[in-house]
Amino acid sequence: GHPAAPDSAGQAMWVVGLTGSIGMGKSAVSDMLRGLGVPVSDADAIVHAIYAKGGAAVEPLSREFPGVVIDGAVSRPALSKAVLGDAAALKRLEALVHPLVRAARRDFLARARAAAEPLAVLDIPLLYEAGCEKECDEVLVVSAPPSVQRERVLSRPNMRAMAPEEAAAKFEAILANQLPDAEKRKRAHCVIDTGAPMESTRAAVAAFAEQRRPLGAQRRRRRRLAAAAAAAAVAVL
C-alpha cells in the first residue's frame, strides 16, 4: 500500500525520499526509477557539482578551510584531511554545504513541478540521519540481507585493493555512521528488497512508480480545482 501522507513536501506532485545503507542497492533502484522516466535528484551528484570548478561550495570552503581548493575545485582528499577527527570543523563544513545541497534539491523539485511531473525522487544516502524525511511525502528504503550487503561492499574495487582486515574495519566504520538498516526499515513507508533476483527488484520498482504517479496527478488536479475555486470566489466579490 501507500501512505495517506499530508502534502508535507508542499509540492503539486508526489515526492519520495529514497535511501538505504551502503551496499543495499540504492543506486541500482535509483537507475531503475530513472529508466522508468521518473526524475531523480542524486545527493552525491549535487555535492560533486558544487565542489567542481565554478561550483557554489568552492569559494566558501576556500575561505573556511584554506588549502582545500586545488585548481579551482574542492579536493575531497584535502577536505577530508582538514576535518578528520575534528568535530567542530565537520560541523562548520556541514553548516556551509547542507544549505547549498538543500537549495539544489529545491531547484530540482521546482523544475519537476514546472514540467508537470506527478512523481519526483530525492536520492539521499543519509536521509534519516540528516532529517530530510520532512522534505518528502514518503520514504522508500532499499534493503538486502546483511550477508549480501557485506559481500557487495567488500567486493568493490577500492575495498579489494586493501588488506582484508583493513577493508572489514572500513566497512564497520561506515556502518557505525549510518542509521542501522533495521531502524530504517521500521521508519520507512515502503521497503524494496534487492537481495531477491534482479527481475524481482525491477518489478517491485515498476509497481512502486505505477502506484505513486496517480497520487501526484490527483494532488495536481486538487490544486488546480482549488485555485479555480479561489479565482471564482474573488470574481464574485
Side-chain angles (χ1 to χ4, degrees), residues 129 154 195 197 237:
E129 294 85 344
L154 295 182
L237 293 172

Side-chain angles (χ1 to χ4, degrees), residues 3 8 11 14 17 31 40 57-58 63 75 106 112 117 128 144 146 157-158 191 204 210 217 223 226 233:
S8 56
Q11 306 291 340
W14 196 255
D31 287 343
V40 179
V58 174
R63 283 198 307 267
S75 161
R106 282 197 300 272
E117 293 285 357
Y128 285 120
N158 64 324
V191 177
E210 193 178 329
R223 290 272 178 109

Side-chain angles (χ1 to χ4, degrees), residues 76-98:
R76 285 196 179 213
L79 186 58
S80 295
K81 199 173 170 187
V83 300
L84 189 66
D86 186 340
L90 186 59
K91 273 199 163 32
R92 293 203 312 276
L93 171 64
E94 289 172 348
L96 286 170
V97 172
H98 285 183

Side-chain angles (χ1 to χ4, degrees), residues 39-150:
V40 179
S41 167
D42 181 338
D44 287 339
I46 290 173
V47 172
H48 185 80
I50 64 175
Y51 282 7
K53 204 168 188 172
V58 174
E59 193 186 330
L61 289 182
S62 173
R63 283 198 307 267
E64 189 67 38
F65 302 101
V68 302
V69 172
I70 298 169
D71 296 330
V74 176
S75 161
R76 285 196 179 213
L79 186 58
S80 295
K81 199 173 170 187
V83 300
L84 189 66
D86 186 340
L90 186 59
K91 273 199 163 32
R92 293 203 312 276
L93 171 64
E94 289 172 348
L96 286 170
V97 172
H98 285 183
L100 297 174
V101 173
R102 280 196 297 273
R105 277 203 298 272
R106 282 197 300 272
D107 289 347
F108 160 80
L109 290 174
R111 288 194 302 275
R113 190 171 59 244
E117 293 285 357
L119 173 65
V121 173
L122 303 177
D123 176 343
I124 307 174
L126 299 175
L127 182 142
Y128 285 120
E129 294 85 344
C132 298
E133 67 270 30
K134 295 187 289 291
E135 299 176 32
C136 313
D137 289 302
E138 71 171 311
V139 175
L140 169 61
V141 164
V142 178
S143 185
S147 58
V148 174
Q149 176 192 27
R150 187 181 185 86

Side-chain angles (χ1 to χ4, degrees), residues 8-26:
S8 56
Q11 306 291 340
M13 57 190 167
W14 196 255
V15 180
V16 175
L18 172 66
T19 195
S21 300
I22 185 170
M24 290 302 196
K26 180 179 62 61

Side-chain angles (χ1 to χ4, degrees), residues 145-163:
S147 58
V148 174
Q149 176 192 27
R150 187 181 185 86
E151 186 185 338
R152 284 174 180 166
V153 175
L154 295 182
S155 67
R156 290 179 177 182
N158 64 324
M159 292 294 214
R160 287 166 63 186
M162 300 177 188

